[in-house]
Amino acid sequence: MVAAERSVQRWETCGEAWIAMLRHVWSAGEAGLEDQGPIIEGPPVLFEIASLSWEDPLLREHGDRGLLAREAHERTRGAARPGPGPRPRGAHGPDRLPWVIDLLRARPWTTSAWIPFAAPPSDAEPRTAAGEPPDLVPRVVALSFRIRGYRLIMTAMFRSQDVIRCYLSYIPLRDVQVEVAEELGLPPGPLRIFIDVPHVRVADADHAAGILAAVPEHNAA
C-alpha cells in the first residue's frame, strides 16, 4: 500500500464510519466556531464505507430514532412513487446524472465526471449584513464519479459536516452511487467521503460522549 492510500480510512459499515467520525472529532478536535455557534472542530478526514443500510445495527441502537423513523416513513411513502428520489443538481440547476453516465460510457477512464454544487453569487441574490449571500456554499460541494477496478467509485466532498448525525447524508448518497452504477452495468465500489471541517456542536458534546462510551473502539482497515 502506498503512502497516499494509508491516509484513507476504510470502514465496512455506515455505523462503524459514524462512530469513527465521532471519535475522530472527540479525540483530535479543538474549540471552533460555526455559523450556528461553538463547535468541537476535528482535522480534515478522508474515508471509505463498503456497505450502507438504514438497518445498520449501530445506527438502530445508537442513532437518532426519531429521525430514522421519519426516514423509514418517507421511504415507505416513496415506494409507491415512480422514479428516483431527490436528484443531484449542479451549480446551474439541471440534473447532472445523465451527463455523468454518458461521459463514463464514452470515456470510462476519465477523471472529469464531477458534479459541482457551488455557484458564484449573482448581483441579484440577497445578502447578509456582512455583504455575503446566505447559504452560498452548500455543505456537500461536489460529487465525483470514477470507474476503477471495474467498479464505480463515488466521492462526496463536504466543506463542513456535523458528524453527530452524518449517517443521514451518507445512505442517500449511496443511492445516487448505486443508480449511476446500475446505468453503467457495474457494481458500486465503496462510497468515499472527504470532510474538510468535521465537527460536533458544543451543545451536543454530552450526547456524543454518551454514544462513544457505549461503543467499544473499532479500528479501520
Side-chain angles (χ1 to χ4, degrees):
M1 183 183 298
V2 297
E5 290 179 326
R6 284 198 207 90
S7 65
V8 182
Q9 301 176 27
R10 293 178 172 86
W11 303 97
E12 182 58 32
T13 70
C14 185
E16 291 175 359
W18 169 50
I19 298 297
M21 290 307 100
L22 283 174
R23 187 162 280 118
H24 170 75
V25 171
W26 194 257
S27 63
E30 300 178 348
L33 190 64
E34 252 274 1
D35 295 337
Q36 290 75 30
I39 59 173
I40 304 168
E41 179 180 320
V45 64
L46 175 64
F47 59 98
E48 293 180 350
I49 310 173
S51 62
L52 298 94
S53 169
W54 292 113
E55 303 305 315
D56 187 302
L58 280 172
L59 301 185
R60 291 172 65 86
E61 179 68 21
H62 302 287
D64 187 315
R65 295 181 182 179
L67 290 176
L68 289 170
R70 187 185 307 169
E71 288 289 343
H73 178 66
E74 290 298 321
R75 293 198 310 278
T76 301
R77 290 178 55 201
R81 299 196 303 266
R87 308 291 299 178
R89 297 178 178 273
H92 303 290
D95 176 11
R96 300 298 302 276
L97 286 187
W99 174 83
V100 163
I101 293 164
D102 289 345
L103 178 61
L104 288 170
R105 280 177 178 151
R107 294 157 52 193
W109 60 87
T110 187
T111 60
S112 299
W114 281 70
I115 300 177
F117 295 118
S122 70
D123 292 337
E125 285 186 287
R127 302 273 167 163
T128 66
E132 298 175 347
D135 302 322
L136 170 62
V137 182
R139 292 192 182 275
V140 183
V141 295
L143 297 179
S144 168
F145 301 83
R146 291 185 297 157
I147 297 173
R148 296 293 184 272
Y150 301 100
R151 299 182 301 171
L152 181 77
I153 310 297
M154 188 178 87
T155 302
M157 280 143 280
F158 289 78
R159 65 168 177 84
S160 177
Q161 187 172 50
D162 184 348
V163 298
I164 197 78
R165 297 178 184 88
C166 59
Y167 51 86
L168 296 172
S169 300
Y170 301 160
I171 300 177
L173 285 170
R174 179 62 158 189
D175 292 340
V176 173
Q177 181 184 10
V178 168
E179 178 183 347
V180 175
E182 288 179 347
E183 288 290 332
L184 294 169
L186 294 170
L191 173 66
R192 181 172 287 187
I193 304 287
F194 171 75
I195 312 172
D196 191 35
V197 184
H199 63 271
V200 171
R201 294 188 307 153
V202 169
D204 290 326
D206 288 345
H207 180 44
I211 294 170
L212 293 175
V215 181
E217 188 164 358
H218 182 85
N219 294 321

